[in-house]
Amino acid sequence: MNSSHCEAILLKHGIRPTAVRILLLEVMERFEHTFSLADLETEADTLDKSSIFRSLALFAEHHLLHVVEDGSGATKYCLCHNDHACRIEELHCHFHCEVCGKTFCLDDVHVPVIHYPAGYEVREINYLVKGRCPACRSKN
């Protein structure tokens, strides 16, 4: 992915493209599944932790990232490929491997429709499945 493509994505999400944000988005695009702040620090070693953290917060606020709580104690992120705030029916499930600790996006498995009582307003659903990933299952 080139810088002009990343710049266009940032602008589409209402984010001012800076050198740091473009570089960070280029790094994020290389991850196949979810990633953490620590993963980004390793891959974007020229950026400091506070710049990465501020960019993550901005990207999440502008719906460029989904925040995934997988129970590991480290917040994970995955890129959103929409240019708007995802509706509940557009959200996908995640799988957390209890052996290797990786969290995978299950892009083709959507969050099931949940009926909730009148008066409640749902703004976020985090649907997580835990177990062993195919690579860890094949080791045993």
Side-chain angles (χ1 to χ4, degrees), residues 9-10 13 15 25 59-60 62-66 78-81:
I9 290 172
L10 292 170
H13 283 271
I15 300 169
L25 183 54
F59 290 1
H62 286 264
H63 310 290
L64 179 56
L65 287 180
H66 291 282
C78 63
L79 282 173
C80 178
H81 298 287

Side-chain angles (χ1 to χ4, degrees), residues 54-71:
R54 284 192 308 274
S55 295
L56 287 172
L58 181 68
F59 290 1
E61 179 185 330
H62 286 264
H63 310 290
L64 179 56
L65 287 180
H66 291 282
V67 179
V68 180
E69 301 293 335
D70 65 5

Side-chain angles (χ1 to χ4, degrees), residues 2-134:
N2 62 36
S3 296
S4 61
H5 177 74
C6 288
E7 185 175 340
I9 290 172
L10 292 170
L11 287 169
K12 192 174 188 179
H13 283 271
I15 300 169
R16 186 173 56 86
T18 64
V20 167
R21 294 171 186 162
I22 291 169
L23 174 63
L24 199 55
L25 183 54
E26 287 173 351
V27 169
M28 289 177 190
E29 286 283 347
R30 293 195 298 252
F31 288 103
E32 283 187 49
H33 296 286
T34 64
F35 48 88
S36 67
L37 175 62
D39 295 329
L40 291 172
E41 282 182 283
T42 300
E43 294 298 315
D45 58 357
T46 59
L47 301 178
D48 64 279
K49 186 176 190 170
S50 61
S51 294
I52 295 171
F53 186 77
R54 284 192 308 274
S55 295
L56 287 172
L58 181 68
F59 290 1
E61 179 185 330
H62 286 264
H63 310 290
L64 179 56
L65 287 180
H66 291 282
V67 179
V68 180
E69 301 293 335
D70 65 5
S72 68
T75 301
K76 303 282 176 49
Y77 304 90
C78 63
L79 282 173
C80 178
H81 298 287
N82 292 328
D83 60 355
H84 59 273
C86 290
R87 297 181 305 274
I88 297 298
E89 63 272 11
E90 293 178 295
L91 297 176
H92 61 266
C93 300
H94 295 91
F95 185 92
H96 180 73
C97 180
E98 296 172 310
V99 178
C100 66
K102 293 180 183 174
T103 300
F104 303 89
C105 292
L106 303 178
D107 293 321
D108 296 327
V109 181
H110 293 280
V111 170
V113 175
I114 298 170
H115 300 283
Y116 47 91
Y120 289 88
E121 178 185 349
V122 176
R123 58 177 189 77
E124 181 181 341
I125 294 177
N126 187 4
Y127 196 93
L128 180 72
V129 179
K130 292 185 176 188
R132 292 186 301 160
C133 70

